[in-house]
């Protein structure tokens, strides 16, 4: 059993009377693909992005049994006016629900909400749940503010109350300390780390202990930062019992690693050594399979690197499917 929790979709079309700031999907002559036009984004989307039958065929071809499908990140445009952002989210969510209805056991939908208006995003969560979606995808920052900022706490509290899941997708933000060529590589890792760190440092992890939240690409550099944070909290190396008098930032309660082990992380780290480290540090019960399909090709076969690690059968089963169903709040499938 293999569940891919980091896979994307695009609606095939948008309403003719949609606001001018909405995306457009233009047919490609002589092809089943369409071109997404959205701001500065120009992206050729194959039919597997929006055709349920083709989607399920592609899953079978790569040995994937189910996918948690979420909007392509360019759709998470928090710079739109709030009303337009809400209209776009509702259109995408309606399409997502329709796509998933093609095969509800194989296609598990995550919606989107207009995070530029926290109140509107929070209120929209009930509609997301009513549509049969398992949760929402959000970007790692909202107009430059990391998601763990206290202004977003009511949103996460409502997510927890409704028993929904949140998938945080690293979203590069402009940065003047690195050249533009690093936006899709290094900055993605930085963004993932900032998002996960902010959930701890901003207090959301403490105030929402039952929140089911996952981070794309294993939260970037976050796992490698954690031992240092743990040392500052505990005063000791190797996660040994804390010695408060030697610590720089000791507080009673969960440690940074304790909080981090409440989160989920997808396995898309591109190297077996990195994946082994993430599993060893955070636990096999915290890791999900992710591929970014079809924006990026899956490994052939799917999860090839994961399967090369020689993990015990029970740990491998957690990562390949059990954790995914726990994260999505649907038992074990």
């Amino acid at each position: 059993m293999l569940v891919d929790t980091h896979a994307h979709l695009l609606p095939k079309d948008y309403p003719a009377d949609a606001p001018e700031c909405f995306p457009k999907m233009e047919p490609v002559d002589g092809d089943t693909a369409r071109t997404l036009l959205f701001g500065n984004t120009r992206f050729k989307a194959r039919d597997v992005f929006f055709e349920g039958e083709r989607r399920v065929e592609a899953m079978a071809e790569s040995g994937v049994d189910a996918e948690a499908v979420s909007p392509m990140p360019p759709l998470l445009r928090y710079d739109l006016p709030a009303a337009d952002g809400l209209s776009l989210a509702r259109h995408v969510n309606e399409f997502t629900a329709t796509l998933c209805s093609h095969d509800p056991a194989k296609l598990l939908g995550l919606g989107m909400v207009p995070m530029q208006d926290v109140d509107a995003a929070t209120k929209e969560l009930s509609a997301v749940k009513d549509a049969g979606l398992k949760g929402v995808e959000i970007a790692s920052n909202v107009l430059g503010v990391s998601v763990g900022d206290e202004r977003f706490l009511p949103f996460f509290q409502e997510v927890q109350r409704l028993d929904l899941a949140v998938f945080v997708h690293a979203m590069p933000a402009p940065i003047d300390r690195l050249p533009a060529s690093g936006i899709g590589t290094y900055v993605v890792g930085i963004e993932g780390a900032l998002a996960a760190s902010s959930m701890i440092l901003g207090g959301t992890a403490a105030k929402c202990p039952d929140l089911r939240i996952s981070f794309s690409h294993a939260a970037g550099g976050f796992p490698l930062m954690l031992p240092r944070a743990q040392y500052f909290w505990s005063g000791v190396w190797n996660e040994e019992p804390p010695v408060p008098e030697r610590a720089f930032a000791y507080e009673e309660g969960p440690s940074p690693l304790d909080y981090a082990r409440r989160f989920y992380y997808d396995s898309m780290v591109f190297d077996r050594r990195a994946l082994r480290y993430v599993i060893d540090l955070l636990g096999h019960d915290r890791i999900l399979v992710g591929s970014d399909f079809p924006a990026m090709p899956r490994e052939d076969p799917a999860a090839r690197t994961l399967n090369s690690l020689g993990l015990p059968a029970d740990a491998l089963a957690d990562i390949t499917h059990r954790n995914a169903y726990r994260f999505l709040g649907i038992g074990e499938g």
Side-chain angles (χ1 to χ4, degrees):
M1 186 75 181
L2 184 63
V3 180
D4 186 348
T5 64
H6 183 171
H8 293 303
L9 59 81
L10 278 169
K12 187 174 183 178
D13 293 298
Y14 296 89
D17 60 349
E20 184 62 30
C21 60
F22 260 45
K24 294 178 175 59
M25 291 286 273
E26 293 187 348
V28 177
D29 290 341
D31 201 334
T32 57
R34 298 197 173 204
T35 300
L36 172 72
L37 307 175
F38 198 17
N40 295 324
T41 299
R42 300 290 184 274
F43 182 80
K44 184 177 179 180
R46 298 178 288 127
D47 56 359
V48 72
F49 274 100
F50 44 75
E51 298 287 359
E53 183 176 358
R54 181 70 192 100
R55 187 93 196 194
V56 172
E57 289 174 354
M59 291 166 57
E61 290 165 3
S62 58
V64 171
D65 297 285
E67 290 177 340
V69 289
S70 55
M72 275 286 284
L75 296 176
L76 304 177
R77 282 277 303 276
Y78 300 144
D79 59 328
L80 296 180
D84 292 337
L86 179 59
S87 295
L88 176 59
R90 287 176 171 172
H91 177 73
V92 174
N93 293 346
E94 181 180 353
F95 173 83
T96 302
T98 300
L99 180 72
C100 291
S101 70
H102 177 80
D103 193 333
K106 292 182 178 294
L107 296 169
L108 310 166
L110 296 173
M112 57 183 273
V113 290
M115 293 296 290
Q116 61 269 50
D117 183 331
V118 180
D119 289 342
T122 302
K123 292 175 183 175
E124 194 64 14
L125 289 169
S126 291
V128 168
K129 188 177 181 73
D130 290 344
L133 303 180
K134 308 306 179 186
V136 291
E137 174 189 47
I138 65 173
S140 54
N141 72 86
V142 180
L143 303 177
V145 180
S146 291
V147 292
D149 187 274
E150 63 181 2
R151 73 191 72 179
F152 303 117
L153 178 60
F155 168 79
F156 289 111
Q157 289 175 322
E158 182 68 357
V159 169
Q160 179 178 261
R161 188 187 73 82
L162 291 173
D163 198 29
L164 293 169
V166 177
F167 173 42
V168 180
H169 198 290
M171 183 68 77
I175 182 171
D176 59 9
R177 297 178 65 186
L178 292 173
S181 60
I183 293 294
T185 53
Y186 297 98
V187 178
V188 167
I190 292 168
E191 266 298 314
L194 287 172
S197 301
S198 75
M199 293 295 290
I200 297 174
L201 296 173
T204 303
K207 293 171 183 173
C208 299
D210 298 319
L211 179 68
R212 301 195 312 276
I213 186 169
S214 73
F215 294 89
S216 70
H217 307 291
F222 180 64
L224 204 59
M225 294 173 169
L226 276 168
R228 179 179 174 89
Q230 186 73 12
Y231 171 78
F232 272 62
W233 177 85
S234 67
V236 297
W237 287 47
N238 302 310
E239 206 176 352
E240 294 167 356
V243 181
E245 60 269 24
R246 289 196 299 189
F248 293 89
Y250 181 79
E251 294 180 359
E252 289 286 345
S255 72
L257 275 167
D258 291 332
Y259 283 124
R261 289 175 182 140
R262 295 179 182 177
F263 307 155
Y264 290 94
Y265 308 84
D266 79 38
S267 63
M268 200 178 177
V269 295
F270 306 101
D271 191 294
R272 62 174 49 87
R273 294 162 295 189
L275 184 54
R276 170 69 74 179
Y277 172 75
V278 170
I279 295 169
D280 285 349
L281 183 73
L282 298 170
H284 59 77
D285 61 331
R286 297 289 101 190
I287 312 303
L288 309 165
V289 171
S291 72
D292 219 344
F293 180 83
M296 296 178 68
R298 287 191 177 104
E299 286 190 290
D300 186 17
R304 177 175 63 89
T305 295
L306 173 64
N307 284 310
S308 75
L309 297 182
L311 297 174
D314 195 54
L316 187 62
D318 270 353
I319 298 171
T320 56
H321 64 282
R322 290 176 187 158
N323 296 340
Y325 289 122
R326 292 167 187 149
F327 164 62
L328 295 169
I330 51 179
E332 297 213 0

